[in-house]
Each structure stands twice: as structure tokens, then as C-alpha cells.
Amino acid sequence: MSHEPRYTVNCSILFTELPLLERPAAARQGGFGAVEFWWPFAEAVPSDADVDAFVTAIEDAGVQLTGLNFFAGDMPGGDRGLVSSPKRSSEFRDNLDVTVGIGERLGCRAFNALYGNRDDRHSAGEQDDLAVENLGLAAQAAARIRGTVLVEPVSGAPQYPLLTAADALTVIDRVQASYAVPNLGLLADLYHLAVNGDDVDRVIADHADRIAHVQIADAPGRNEPGTGTLPLERQLGDLATSGYTGWIGLEYKPSTTTLESFGWLPREHRAVAG
């Protein structure tokens, strides 16, 4: 039985026309019932007042928070996570309780742990060993609220070592072999996988049961579906046929305004219940 896709709007890359705290309400006005965010603060441990303001913005908008990134460093400056970073590992650990605490307050159960860029001052083995430890700690923290830690292959970051689904699954396997934590899953961003040359159809066919979250953008360009050449509609159908019933994160750069960029998705399909 096919499953109607459930879309969630990534408000860290969409609705950037607006201040961050106004974006959840804008998503709601656009017809969506769910949002996700990268880490929405400048530091690993924001003030209680800043956390409360974020939580209130989501609650007041009447949307579900479906995904949140752990603190990932300075993303505009090129950082892509702290999980494997010997220099900044402590910031990641300090961030765990804050992130999971926000999730607990808002009913969010999916937390993306960006792996981090390679650091030439440390061996790859040292960084990978640290990542296993940190992902184990993250999974233990998320398990307190029955949450899942996501591991994501990323494109466009030359020093980021996880490029394919297999790369991420290898890391997850290592964590699960070292810690008794079942709650890690693959974040399959169909755009990143395609741009990195992964066989997206094979990933869906072989690993649908390990995909804990999906994000989409078209390629080339990372704009909304229909602006490029990726067979996103078919692939989402294949995912549903394979049993994926989770959220589909809209994580693309709008080619026009954010609201105009939703033209590919009729309003009646934007906020499917469930």
C-alpha cells in the first residue's frame, strides 16, 4: 500500500526572507503542519531565554517540530559538524542535553548529528574513533525520549568524509557494535546522495529499513523539485513502496521566493496528517 508523503519544511534554508522565529508561522500560513531546523542558535549552549523563545515560536505557530540538528559549528563559515572534531568535541557533548531537551518539549524525536570535516592535524582513525564515541553518547541521550540520531552523507564540503549511504551506514554499524544503541539511522538526502554519485535507487532498494529521515532538493542547483533532473517523485514513491512512512524534509534553496517555490506541491498535499 502506497503512503501519502508527509512533508516538513526546513526553516533554516527556506523562509530566510524572515527572521528565524517568524518562520514557523510562515510555514503554517503556507499550508504546512511541520517544520525542521538546523541548530537555530549561534552557540552550543544558548541561554534559557533564547531556547524558550524558539520553543514558543514553534508552539504558537501550531506546527510540529520533526527534526533538529545538534550544534554543528559555523555552518555559513564552512563547518559541518563537531562529532569527529578532537578540538571541539566538548562543545558537541555540552550541546546534547540542550538539543534533546528541546526535542522533549516539542515532541521532536529526530536529531541530525553532522559528522564534521576532516582535520589534517589528526589522523582519520583518531577522528573516526572519536565520532563513534560521540555518536554513542548522542544516541544514549536521545534514547531518554525515544529519539533517533541521524547520520548524513553531505555534498559540497570537500573535507566531509561521509559521501555515500554506505559511508554513513558503516559509521552507524561501528557505533552499534560498540554501544548497545539501536536508535541511529541514515538521513537520506536524495540531493546530496545524487550529487555525490551514489546510486540512489539502489540505496532505497537495499536500505529502506535503515532510512530514518529523508530530505530532498533537485539537482543541479539544489532548488525546489522540478527545477532539475532528479526523479524525485518516482524515488519518493519507491520509498513509500519499500515501507518508508517518515517525513520528507524540504531542504532546498528556493529559486524564487519561498512561497513561490512551493508551486510544485498543491496545497492539499502540504499538511498530510499523521
Side-chain angles (χ1 to χ4, degrees), residues 256-272:
T256 53
T257 67
T258 295
L259 285 174
E260 286 173 7
S261 81
F262 295 133
W264 62 279
L265 184 61
R267 196 176 177 95
E268 62 268 22
H269 294 304
R270 293 182 187 179
V272 177

Side-chain angles (χ1 to χ4, degrees), residues 48-274:
D48 289 348
D50 284 347
V51 170
D52 288 345
F54 177 74
V55 169
T56 299
I58 302 279
E59 290 175 338
D60 286 355
V63 291
Q64 171 66 45
L65 182 69
T66 59
L68 185 64
N69 285 20
F70 292 106
F71 180 58
D74 177 11
M75 295 270 286
D79 289 343
R80 289 295 180 271
L82 310 178
V83 167
S84 63
S85 169
K87 196 172 71 170
R88 304 190 66 186
S89 173
S90 61
E91 289 175 77
F92 178 76
R93 295 181 185 191
D94 289 345
N95 174 247
L96 292 176
D97 284 345
V98 190
T99 304
V100 172
I102 293 170
E104 185 168 31
R105 290 172 69 178
L106 291 171
C108 174
R109 297 293 180 262
F111 305 100
N112 186 15
L114 285 170
Y115 198 77
N117 294 322
R118 285 298 192 214
D119 181 342
D120 295 337
R121 293 161 296 184
H122 299 269
S123 71
E126 183 186 349
Q127 291 169 75
D128 290 336
D129 289 347
L130 178 63
V132 168
E133 200 175 313
N134 280 332
L135 289 169
L137 292 171
Q140 289 171 344
R144 297 200 300 262
I145 63 166
R146 300 162 103 133
T148 298
V149 172
L150 307 172
V151 181
E152 180 183 19
V154 168
S155 66
Q159 295 291 104
Y160 192 90
L162 307 186
L163 301 180
T164 65
D167 294 337
L169 290 170
T170 297
V171 170
I172 292 170
D173 287 342
R174 275 197 68 190
V175 178
Q176 292 181 325
S178 303
Y179 295 80
V181 284
N183 58 322
L184 292 108
L186 173 66
L187 196 170
D189 184 311
L190 306 189
Y191 165 80
H192 286 313
L193 295 176
V195 168
N196 284 340
D198 210 351
D199 184 338
V200 177
D201 291 342
R202 179 160 286 281
V203 171
I204 293 168
D206 292 351
H207 303 299
D209 60 324
R210 302 193 67 184
I211 295 174
H213 188 52
V214 171
Q215 291 173 332
I216 59 171
D218 215 332
R222 203 181 183 183
N223 303 131
E224 62 269 18
T227 53
T229 60
L230 298 187
L232 294 169
E233 189 173 354
R234 178 183 61 73
Q235 288 171 342
L236 293 180
D238 291 345
L239 275 161
T241 302
S242 300
Y244 180 77
T245 59
W247 295 96
I248 310 293
L250 305 182
E251 196 195 47
Y252 61 76
K253 295 182 291 190
S255 62
T256 53
T257 67
T258 295
L259 285 174
E260 286 173 7
S261 81
F262 295 133
W264 62 279
L265 184 61
R267 196 176 177 95
E268 62 268 22
H269 294 304
R270 293 182 187 179
V272 177

